[in-house]
Amino acid sequence: MSSHAAAAPIPHTLRQPDRQAVQSTSPTFVVQTDVGRRWTVGGGPAEFVIRVSDEAAWQRLSNAGPYEAAKSFVDGRFDIDGDMLAAARWWYGRSRAHDFSMFDKLKAWLRAAPRFQTLQHARRNIEFHYDRSNEFYQQFLDQQMVYSSAYFADSSVSLDGAQTAKLDYVVRKLDLQPNERFLDVGCGWGALVIHAAWHRYATAVGCTLSARQFNYASRAVRELGMAGRATIELRDYRTQTGRFEKIASIGMYEHVGRRRLGEYFGSLAKLLMPDGLLLNSGIARSETVHDDGATEFLQRFVFPGGEIPYLTQVIRAAENAGFEVLDIENMRRHYAMTCARWVKRLQERRQACLSLIDATTYRTWLLYLAGSAVSFDLGQSELYQILFGKRSDSAPRRLTRRYMYT
């Protein structure tokens, strides 16, 4: 489930090739050893340079699976100069051919999020990812600190403009009206709560498990003089109280785990008024995509306790909790562009980042965001905004989607 300089342009055009073409096309790059040996792989202009200690290190890297290669990168055993997205796209293509053994699959299954999760465990998982440093996140996020996909009318829109457009898109999809009670589950640094209260005159509440996010968002609310209209709470969504006409959950359920989707949607259903609307935005996968070494890396070093569900699992859990689907939009191309902007900013502000966090964390975030951009670009990961309504025979519903775009 958010740099104050103007957003940089996308580092290169994000292509939308079919998967067969992606797997059969290799970029050109240079391998450079510490002892001065240098050679080119491919026949075109080099897009990036891989720096290794010697030829033996390159041989080990060439034969490594996705997890081993990712771990080697974050540990500093090799470097990448140049287009990080091109490097991630190359590695993604070659790793698809790597055999994910039955032992690897067993490890992934054992690491899967358990059916039950204590409040303390959930808090530790969130703190691991989000409580690094607010100043670090400021290096690559937009001015409002939105840590989820932006919404681009076209590729020329700045990151700040696209994130503001996304916030407005969310409240329009929810048809949020003045004085309605609105809840943002996993509110991050408070941007959507503030947007809903400021622009829609809603009574907005946000909850987060991150103490750093809570302090940042609470201060922003006070400084804007919105304490009577917007509230930030440090709490688990399962302990949230009150009833709300509209609820948004943006980039949050990935932390819940597949086995707990029923509990998740059941908790939100209890908080939602009988005629209320829920906008749930989150990453999902096609059922043709399975966990692999990259998944293991993310679960260990980026999102402990997190899992990416299939869309069918999300819909089934929501329907069993009493929701009906009103609208689904796949926004993966928007997330690919967003992650590309974040990667560009991380690279441009490397020294500033390293003054705030250690090198391992910097490399981990750079790799995970570059890999995410490629995964969205190639359709291996999807981003779905799903508008749910509480199932009711008498609930008033819009007849068209026209209101979402005006």
Side-chain angles (χ1 to χ4, degrees):
M1 349 153 189
S2 79
S3 194
H4 297 282
I10 297 177
H12 58 82
T13 301
L14 289 172
R15 301 184 295 275
Q16 298 296 325
D18 61 59
R19 294 179 191 174
Q20 293 286 347
V22 170
Q23 292 175 353
S24 63
T25 302
S26 296
T28 298
F29 59 94
V30 169
V31 180
Q32 172 80 52
T33 71
D34 291 346
V35 295
R37 182 97 200 281
R38 180 183 177 93
W39 64 92
T40 300
V41 178
E47 297 180 73
F48 56 93
V49 177
I50 298 178
R51 300 187 181 275
V52 294
S53 58
D54 51 36
E55 293 180 48
W58 168 246
Q59 190 64 35
R60 288 192 296 272
L61 178 61
S62 298
N63 294 325
Y67 176 82
E68 291 79 10
K71 189 68 168 63
S72 294
F73 178 77
V74 301
D75 288 343
R77 293 200 287 273
F78 73 94
D79 273 313
I80 297 173
D81 297 337
D83 192 335
M84 189 69 187
L85 297 186
R89 185 177 288 107
W90 164 73
W91 189 259
Y92 183 90
R94 69 167 300 283
S95 67
R96 293 299 89 192
H98 187 271
D99 182 27
F100 196 52
S101 69
M102 289 303 297
F103 178 67
D104 293 328
K105 293 176 182 177
L106 177 61
K107 286 195 299 180
W109 181 79
L110 291 173
R111 191 171 292 108
R115 186 173 300 278
F116 301 103
Q117 183 186 69
T118 65
L119 301 183
Q120 293 78 11
H121 193 190
R123 185 181 298 276
R124 285 197 303 271
N125 288 342
I126 294 299
E127 289 173 346
F128 179 90
H129 187 89
Y130 295 100
D131 282 359
R132 300 285 171 163
S133 161
N134 287 339
E135 292 75 19
F136 166 60
Y137 283 102
Q138 284 178 319
Q139 298 308 310
F140 66 94
L141 298 182
D142 63 298
Q143 291 187 14
Q144 297 180 84
M145 296 280 280
V146 182
Y147 193 29
S148 55
S149 177
Y151 181 61
F152 292 89
D154 59 64
S155 61
S156 67
V157 178
S158 70
L159 181 61
D160 285 309
Q163 289 293 17
T164 296
K166 191 278 292 295
L167 298 177
D168 192 55
Y169 198 29
V170 168
V171 296
R172 280 190 282 119
K173 280 191 171 184
L174 281 168
D175 202 13
L176 188 61
Q177 300 297 317
N179 299 316
E180 285 189 326
R181 284 181 52 81
F182 167 73
L183 173 66
D184 183 12
V185 179
C187 66
W189 287 274
L192 181 56
V193 172
I194 292 170
H195 188 92
W198 186 274
H199 293 281
R200 291 282 171 149
Y201 306 104
T203 301
V205 177
C207 65
T208 177
L209 283 174
S210 166
R212 288 180 182 268
Q213 289 182 337
F214 168 76
N215 292 333
Y216 183 100
S218 297
R219 183 174 64 252
V221 167
R222 291 194 302 271
E223 290 176 352
L224 289 169
M226 299 179 63
R229 180 68 74 176
T231 305
I232 308 297
E233 299 181 1
L234 184 62
R235 66 159 76 214
D236 190 289
Y237 74 96
R238 291 169 290 185
T239 69
Q240 185 68 51
T241 59
R243 300 295 296 280
F244 302 89
E245 281 88 4
K246 308 291 168 62
I247 297 176
S249 177
I250 311 297
M252 182 272 176
Y253 79 6
E254 296 92 333
H255 297 285
V256 169
R258 298 166 190 159
R259 295 178 176 89
R260 293 190 296 274
L261 285 173
E263 176 190 28
Y264 164 76
F265 281 109
S267 297
L268 299 189
K270 292 176 183 177
L271 294 168
L272 196 61
M273 297 290 285
D275 295 342
L277 298 176
L278 163 67
L279 185 70
N280 190 92
S281 179
I283 303 170
R285 284 178 170 172
S286 161
E287 294 196 27
T288 61
V289 179
H290 305 288
D291 291 346
D292 57 13
T295 306
E296 181 182 1
F297 173 79
L298 290 173
Q299 289 177 336
R300 280 196 176 194
F301 301 107
V302 183
F303 291 109
E307 288 182 304
I308 304 302
Y310 301 129
L311 179 61
T312 51
Q313 293 173 316
V314 176
I315 300 299
R316 185 181 303 114
E319 289 182 337
N320 288 339
F323 288 103
E324 62 175 335
V325 177
L326 303 179
D327 183 79
I328 301 179
E329 182 174 4
N330 187 339
M331 301 182 68
R332 70 173 177 86
R333 295 182 65 189
H334 296 271
Y335 220 165
M337 294 173 69
T338 304
C339 290
R341 303 284 180 103
W342 290 340
V343 168
K344 179 69 172 176
R345 288 185 167 201
L346 276 175
Q347 290 184 296
E348 290 176 339
R349 301 169 187 185
R350 179 177 180 274
Q351 291 305 318
C353 289
L354 291 175
S355 71
L356 299 166
I357 56 170
D358 58 71
T360 298
T361 299
Y362 172 78
R363 286 170 169 269
T364 299
W365 257 243
L366 184 64
L367 180 62
Y368 118 72
L369 290 176
S372 296
V374 171
S375 183
F376 285 118
D377 188 25
L378 302 183
Q380 293 294 299
S381 296
E382 317 279 358
L383 176 68
Y384 292 103
Q385 275 194 0
I386 309 176
L387 183 65
F388 293 104
K390 261 196 167 178
R391 191 173 295 281
S392 169
D393 293 336
S394 58
R397 301 293 185 219
R398 295 275 194 168
L399 290 177
T400 74
R401 298 176 180 175
R402 208 168 295 146
Y403 76 97
M404 297 182 183
Y405 304 102
T406 58

